[in-house]
Amino acid sequence: FFQRRNKKQVPSFRKLIKTSKVKLENKLKNKQFKQQSTIKKYRKEQRKLRQAVKDAVSKKPFPLEDPKSKRPVKRIEREEEDEEEALPLDMLDEDDLQLIKDLGQKASFLTRDLSSSEPVHIKKRKHESVIEKYEKVPRTLQTAPEKELIHLLPIKDKSGIIPQTREKPVTAIQQEEEEEEEPEVEEEVIEEPRQELTIEEHVIERKKKLQDKKIQIATLASAILSDPESHIKKLKELRAMLMEQDPDVAVTVRKLAIISLMELFKDITPSYKIRPLTEAEKSAKIRKETQKLREFEEGLVSQYKFYLENLEQIVKDWKQRKLKKSNVVSLKAYKGLAEVAVKSLCELLVALPHFNFHNNIIVLIVPLMNDGSKSVSEMCCEAVKKLFKQDKLGQASLGVIKVISGFVKGRNYEVRPEMLKTFLCLRIKEVEVKKDTEDINKPKRFMTFKEKRKTLSRMQRKWKKAEEKLERELREAEASESTEKKLKLHTETLNIVFVTYFRILKKAQKSPLLPAVLEGLAKFAHLINVEFFDDLLVVLHTLIESGDLSYQESLHCVQTAFHILSGQGDVLNIDPMKFYTHLYKTLFTLHAGATNDGIEIVLHCLDVMLTKRRKQVSHQRALAFIKRLCTLALQVLPNSSIGLLAMTRILMHTFPRTDLLLDNESQGSGVFLPELEEPEYCNAQNTALWELHALRRHYHPIVRRFAAHLLAGAPSEGSEALKPELSRRSALELFEAYSMAEMTFNPPVESFNSKKKDKFLQGDAFLNEDLNQLIKRYCDEAAPERPLDFTKCLKTSSR
């Protein structure tokens, strides 16, 4: 009824795997042992065969005809030993003795060694076949110098065994002798007449070579662009052209290769950083497409690395004035090659801030910003500025700022000011404040499963899950960095910038870097920590009072001070009257000459000092500044006059009671003192803006328009109101719009069309009648043709 169970247990899967592994290992060992044994057998056979060939070929017997000839002692001893081992002739049969004598008369007998010969009835026939075949080879005569041969292993084919030999390598002494003889041969070759090319033929040949190289570069580049993953190895071929050795086209081909590779890397580089694979990823099984992509990425990174190394080497060789041994490129041409390499590095710095080796490019570019060559320095500075302007997150900017700060400190602040002026292009508008304030853009927190279960129904949970999944996908698709990370990077960057600025203010106050430092502080002053405000204002005032600064530098100090006070400095109880006084007394330093460019900084300062701090500015101070600005407008260029009049208009709107300056009746007591340096006590209310009447007759139409507008009280409506294109623009915009940098009137001066044009005399009407007749008579007369003989004059002069 019950079936009997099999007592033998079925082996488990693990046990099966274990046993199969053991079997496989045993099979592998047996296979290896078998292979080793066959290899040993083969080696043994080869050794025996080699010995047989050696015995048959290497030993040379001595001729039997001259037994009494003199032989070396060693040879005689050896032969005696052989004779002792051999049988005496008395014990040989007559037939055997006759056979030996017959063999001695044959040529083949000379190649045999009787001491090592084997019996004729030996079973192995291999040696006999080798010897027989070797005997059939014809002997070479001793007329030619005999070369020493080394016998190699023979080759076996269908026809039999073919012995192999090669010449013995030449010793060092013989090689030196040959080398000494070689130059003589070269000289003979040089002496042979060669067909020299003319200049035209040389130019044509060079053009042809260059065209071929261009086609080659274009073919490789187009192949890579068409399918980068399949043709990534062609980058190596293109990179090999960076070492072009043809002196006719070497420089041009190398430049073309550098530019082509740079453009290729910009096009085929992915928008992410390629990291090296881990050991687990390398050993894991992957699809063919993934494997192809990995190979492409590895090839791209390696070729990009080699390309950057090549560019670095070119720049280093140029800086160290080094040339390669081949001297294909001259030192003069190497500068142009190095400039192309630097330009490519700058392009890659800006175009690929996300890709591998970006920090290496930064380390190369930053020292070149301080290079002695102006073109190279400007190129690198412009590239860094461009990078700062387009860097939204701030990661790349932080890397550059760190390297620049270390470089400036390492050079003891003896660098070009342009290096620090690049800081002005940083896109930093806000930084991290103290941690007590909550972040505005706090990351959204998703509900946990327990919270959903408590508050939501089953259907609501389902919808909530789908909604959260969609939000996550959207956030990944946007790939937008959080505000927190951005602020953190900006804060770190700005800290390094301020550390650099404060070091220069403390240690190198007479450095040419000071204007760039003051300009930078003026821009980022609102982001400085409040704790440093007092000390910074004291330093700035000390710099102004020292008298070591130029006018523009002192204006930067004033601008920085008011930027500090206009931001977080509002809470501080600081009186900036000394800065107002400094600006007021130095305004007349500006004129239509070299200092005209300082108007831009003055307009910045006036906007911050008077317009934005209107509540802290007294009525007397506003009147004094308006009067001085109108006076200054008489002695500067037209675009500066327009800017100053536009600022006067803004101040008259900001401080409405200043219209009393348009009335010529004096108000109050006292007399206006224009030479007084204090704006509060110069009695500006007792004067009038008579300068506007002079400006109404200015040659520039926009200046005339502004003067008439201000004389009318700066109305916003009516016939004297300004047009929208003038009224809506700021003073700085108008200053730049009507700039005379191109040495032309802007707008162009209208031509003068007089109504009394017909009354003016034309040309010859101004001349006397007698003079007119004389001129006409001489013009009508035909000049007689006379031979020109200058020798008479020369003879007379020599006498």
Side-chain angles (χ1 to χ4, degrees):
F1 183 74
F2 292 100
Q3 289 183 359
R4 190 177 178 183
R5 289 187 181 181
N6 189 7
K7 291 182 180 180
K8 192 176 180 182
Q9 292 182 356
V10 180
S12 64
F13 181 68
R14 287 185 181 179
K15 201 167 184 181
L16 280 170
I17 291 171
K18 197 173 181 182
T19 52
S20 62
K21 280 183 180 179
V22 173
K23 285 180 181 178
L24 285 171
E25 286 174 3
N26 290 338
K27 278 185 180 181
L28 189 64
K29 284 179 183 177
N30 292 336
K31 193 176 180 181
Q32 288 174 354
F33 182 74
K34 204 171 184 180
Q35 285 175 354
Q36 287 174 3
S37 61
T38 52
I39 288 165
K40 282 180 182 178
K41 284 179 183 177
Y42 177 73
R43 284 177 183 170
K44 200 172 182 181
E45 289 174 5
Q46 292 294 321
R47 204 181 296 119
K48 286 180 180 178
L49 191 62
R50 207 181 303 124
Q51 187 65 34
V53 174
K54 188 178 179 183
D55 293 341
V57 177
S58 63
K59 293 186 180 180
K60 293 182 180 180
F62 303 100
L64 302 177
E65 288 80 13
D66 301 327
K68 294 180 181 179
S69 61
K70 293 182 180 180
R71 301 176 188 176
V73 181
K74 289 184 179 179
R75 287 185 180 179
I76 293 165
E77 289 175 0
R78 190 179 63 189
E79 286 180 4
E80 286 175 359
E81 289 175 4
D82 293 343
E83 285 175 4
E84 286 174 5
E85 291 176 4
L87 290 171
L89 295 175
D90 298 338
M91 296 178 69
L92 291 173
D93 295 336
E94 290 181 3
D95 297 336
D96 294 337
L97 188 61
Q98 186 63 37
L99 179 63
I100 290 169
K101 287 179 180 179
D102 294 340
L103 286 171
Q105 301 300 322
K106 291 181 182 179
S108 62
F109 183 74
L110 299 174
T111 61
R112 294 193 61 191
D113 186 6
L114 296 178
S115 62
S116 62
S117 62
E118 294 175 344
V120 183
H121 58 272
I122 192 162
K123 291 179 183 179
K124 294 180 182 179
R125 304 280 181 182
K126 286 182 183 179
H127 304 308
E128 291 179 12
S129 62
V130 172
I131 293 163
E132 284 171 7
K133 284 183 180 179
Y134 191 82
E135 292 292 337
K136 292 174 184 178
V137 178
R139 267 59 171 176
T140 55
L141 297 173
Q142 292 295 328
T143 53
E146 189 178 355
K147 294 180 180 179
E148 293 188 32
L149 300 175
I150 295 174
H151 297 279
L152 306 175
L153 292 175
I155 297 171
K156 188 176 181 181
D157 60 357
K158 292 178 182 178
S159 60
I161 295 170
I162 305 166
Q164 298 290 310
T165 59
R166 71 178 175 85
E167 292 180 14
K168 191 175 180 181
V170 186
T171 57
I173 298 164
Q174 292 173 350
Q175 199 169 359
E176 286 174 4
E177 289 173 2
E178 287 174 6
E179 284 175 0
E180 288 173 3
E181 291 172 5
E182 279 175 6
E184 295 176 2
V185 177
E186 286 176 4
E187 286 174 7
E188 289 174 4
V189 173
I190 292 164
E191 285 173 4
E192 289 179 4
R194 288 186 179 180
Q195 187 180 358
E196 293 184 1
L197 297 173
T198 60
I199 296 171
E200 292 81 3
E201 289 173 346
H202 189 74
V203 170
I204 292 165
E205 188 182 354
R206 184 184 179 278
K207 282 184 180 178
K208 189 180 178 183
K209 285 180 184 177
L210 199 57
Q211 189 64 27
D212 292 341
K213 293 291 181 183
K214 284 180 180 178
I215 291 167
Q216 188 182 350
I217 291 170
T219 308
L220 289 169
S222 58
I224 294 164
L225 284 175
S226 61
D227 190 2
E229 291 185 7
S230 302
H231 299 111
I232 191 67
K233 291 182 180 178
K234 289 188 184 291
L235 278 173
K236 189 175 181 181
E237 296 178 37
L238 192 54
R239 197 171 54 79
M241 299 183 80
L242 293 175
M243 301 301 164
E244 179 63 40
Q245 296 299 319
D246 190 349
D248 290 341
V249 293
V251 179
T252 311
V253 170
R254 290 184 187 188
K255 285 180 181 179
L256 290 171
I258 289 170
I259 297 295
S260 302
L261 280 165
M262 180 261 292
E263 293 295 340
L264 278 173
F265 282 121
K266 282 168 67 176
D267 288 338
I268 66 174
T269 301
S271 58
Y272 54 87
K273 190 173 183 178
I274 298 171
R275 61 173 180 80
L277 298 173
T278 60
E279 292 297 327
E281 288 173 339
K282 287 178 182 177
S283 59
K285 289 184 178 180
I286 52 174
R287 293 183 298 172
K288 285 183 180 179
E289 293 82 2
T290 313
Q291 182 63 29
K292 192 177 180 183
L293 180 63
R294 281 186 182 179
E295 288 174 0
F296 164 71
E297 288 177 347
E298 286 176 5
L300 179 65
V301 170
S302 64
Q303 291 302 322
Y304 187 57
K305 180 187 175 185
F306 291 140
Y307 173 65
L308 293 177
E309 285 175 354
N310 289 338
L311 296 184
E312 181 186 9
Q313 193 60 46
I314 289 168
V315 176
K316 277 185 178 178
D317 289 346
W318 169 62
K319 292 290 291 177
Q320 296 170 2
R321 301 292 187 270
K322 275 187 181 180
L323 281 178
K324 300 295 180 186
K325 291 179 181 178
S326 58
N327 285 333
V328 174
V329 182
S330 65
L331 194 61
K332 190 177 181 181
Y334 221 85
K335 185 185 178 183
L337 194 63
E339 285 181 357
V340 173
V342 172
K343 186 179 180 182
S344 299
L345 285 169
C346 292
E347 288 285 337
L348 293 172
L349 177 79
V350 177
L352 305 176
H354 59 278
F355 198 57
N356 302 48
F357 310 114
H358 190 255
N359 290 334
N360 302 66
I361 300 174
I362 292 170
V363 172
L364 281 174
I365 291 291
V366 168
L368 293 172
M369 292 170 70
N370 192 43
D371 193 73
S373 174
K374 191 177 179 182
S375 59
V376 172
S377 175
E378 286 177 357
M379 204 188 301
C380 295
C381 290
E382 286 300 319
V384 171
K385 285 179 184 177
K386 201 172 178 183
L387 179 67
F388 286 160
K389 286 176 184 176
Q390 73 176 27
D391 186 23
K392 294 180 180 178
L393 178 61
Q395 186 74 47
S397 300
L398 178 60
V400 177
I401 291 294
K402 282 181 178 178
V403 179
I404 291 176
S405 177
F407 183 80
V408 171
K409 187 182 177 184
R411 288 295 181 93
N412 199 19
Y413 312 104
E414 293 179 2
V415 295
R416 285 175 175 264
E418 287 78 8
M419 284 190 78
L420 293 184
K421 284 182 181 177
T422 55
F423 291 179
L424 300 173
C425 298
L426 287 166
R427 294 180 61 175
I428 300 176
K429 294 181 180 177
E430 53 182 350
V431 291
E432 269 187 335
V433 198
K434 289 183 179 179
K435 294 291 181 183
D436 54 358
T437 57
E438 294 181 2
D439 293 329
I440 300 165
N441 187 13
K442 208 170 185 179
K444 188 174 180 181
R445 180 177 166 273
F446 295 110
M447 292 177 72
T448 60
F449 180 73
K450 288 183 179 179
E451 289 173 347
K452 288 178 187 174
R453 198 167 183 179
K454 283 181 182 178
T455 55
L456 303 175
S457 64
R458 188 177 178 183
M459 199 66 186
Q460 285 175 332
R461 286 201 300 271
K462 192 175 180 181
W463 280 105
K464 191 75 175 173
K465 188 178 179 182
E467 186 183 342
E468 287 176 358
K469 186 181 177 182
L470 182 63
E471 281 187 21
R472 284 194 185 97
E473 287 176 357
L474 286 171
R475 194 176 292 178
E476 287 174 6
E478 285 175 6
S480 57
E481 299 291 340
S482 63
T483 311
E484 186 180 353
K485 187 178 179 181
K486 190 176 176 181
L487 287 176
K488 193 174 181 181
L489 288 169
H490 284 182
T491 307
E492 191 177 351
T493 304
L494 206 62
N495 284 341
I496 297 169
V497 170
F498 282 140
V499 164
T500 308
Y501 284 165
F502 293 155
R503 276 178 185 160
I504 294 168
L505 281 176
K506 186 179 178 182
K507 297 181 181 180
Q509 291 187 357
K510 294 184 180 180
S511 169
L513 300 177
L514 197 61
V517 170
L518 296 171
E519 199 173 346
L521 285 172
K523 181 174 181 179
F524 302 117
H526 61 286
L527 301 171
I528 301 174
N529 198 339
V530 184
E531 297 169 1
F532 300 114
F533 281 3
D534 285 335
D535 296 333
L536 193 56
L537 287 172
V538 170
V539 170
L540 293 173
H541 185 253
T542 308
L543 284 171
I544 292 171
E545 293 297 321
S546 66
D548 296 330
L549 303 182
S550 66
Y551 181 61
Q552 286 200 357
E553 289 171 5
S554 64
L555 288 178
H556 280 306
C557 286
V558 174
Q559 188 183 0
T560 304
F562 282 97
H563 270 293
I564 290 169
L565 296 172
S566 64
Q568 302 174 56
D570 286 338
V571 295
L572 300 175
N573 188 17
I574 297 172
D575 182 20
M577 186 61 202
K578 48 197 172 186
F579 295 106
Y580 281 104
T581 304
H582 175 75
L583 182 64
Y584 180 77
K585 72 180 181 183
T586 57
L587 273 176
F588 284 147
T589 314
L590 299 167
H591 52 76
T595 57
N596 186 71
D597 295 334
I599 294 287
E600 187 176 358
I601 309 170
V602 167
L603 294 174
H604 268 296
C605 293
L606 291 168
D607 183 43
V608 179
M609 294 166 70
L610 301 173
T611 311
K612 291 181 179 177
R613 290 174 61 85
R614 59 175 70 91
K615 292 181 180 178
Q616 287 89 0
V617 177
S618 64
H619 181 61
Q620 294 292 332
R621 198 180 301 172
L623 289 170
F625 271 100
I626 289 174
K627 173 64 179 174
R628 184 143 289 197
L629 288 178
C630 288
T631 310
L632 182 62
L634 293 170
Q635 65 181 38
V636 290
L637 292 177
N639 62 325
S640 302
S641 299
I642 293 167
L644 293 171
L645 291 175
M647 180 54 68
T648 306
R649 176 178 175 269
I650 292 167
L651 292 176
M652 290 177 77
H653 285 169
T654 307
F655 303 96
R657 288 190 298 158
T658 55
D659 58 352
L660 60 90
L661 292 173
L662 301 174
D663 189 3
N664 56 2
E665 295 180 4
S666 59
Q667 299 287 330
S669 59
V671 181
F672 174 58
L673 304 171
E675 70 280 359
L676 198 67
E677 294 179 353
E678 295 292 335
E680 294 282 349
Y681 310 111
C682 65
N683 297 326
Q685 74 276 7
N686 295 325
T687 186
L689 299 178
W690 56 264
E691 296 89 355
L692 294 176
H693 290 281
L695 289 169
R696 280 186 74 178
R697 296 188 293 276
H698 199 275
Y699 64 89
H700 201 283
I702 307 299
V703 177
R704 293 199 300 268
R705 187 75 197 87
F706 262 101
H709 171 71
L710 291 174
L711 280 172
S716 55
E717 294 178 352
S719 59
E720 295 298 332
L722 292 175
K723 293 179 181 179
E725 60 265 19
L726 296 176
S727 61
R728 291 176 183 176
R729 286 183 178 183
S730 65
L732 273 169
E733 287 173 349
L734 288 166
F735 170 75
E736 291 169 1
Y738 294 99
S739 173
M740 297 180 68
E742 297 179 359
M743 299 303 291
T744 56
F745 290 108
N746 187 9
V749 179
E750 295 178 1
S751 59
F752 183 72
N753 296 322
S754 176
K755 294 178 182 178
K756 301 178 181 180
K757 191 174 181 180
D758 53 340
K759 290 185 179 180
F760 283 99
L761 297 172
Q762 295 292 330
D764 57 349
F766 287 102
L767 301 174
N768 192 0
E769 289 182 7
D770 298 334
L771 185 60
N772 279 333
Q773 289 174 4
L774 187 65
I775 291 168
K776 192 174 181 181
R777 191 180 71 189
Y778 273 103
C779 289
D780 293 340
E781 284 181 4
E785 293 184 3
R786 295 176 182 175
L788 296 173
D789 189 8
F790 296 103
T791 55
K792 295 177 181 177
C793 300
L794 290 171
K795 286 177 182 177
T796 53
S797 62
S798 62
R799 285 173 188 173

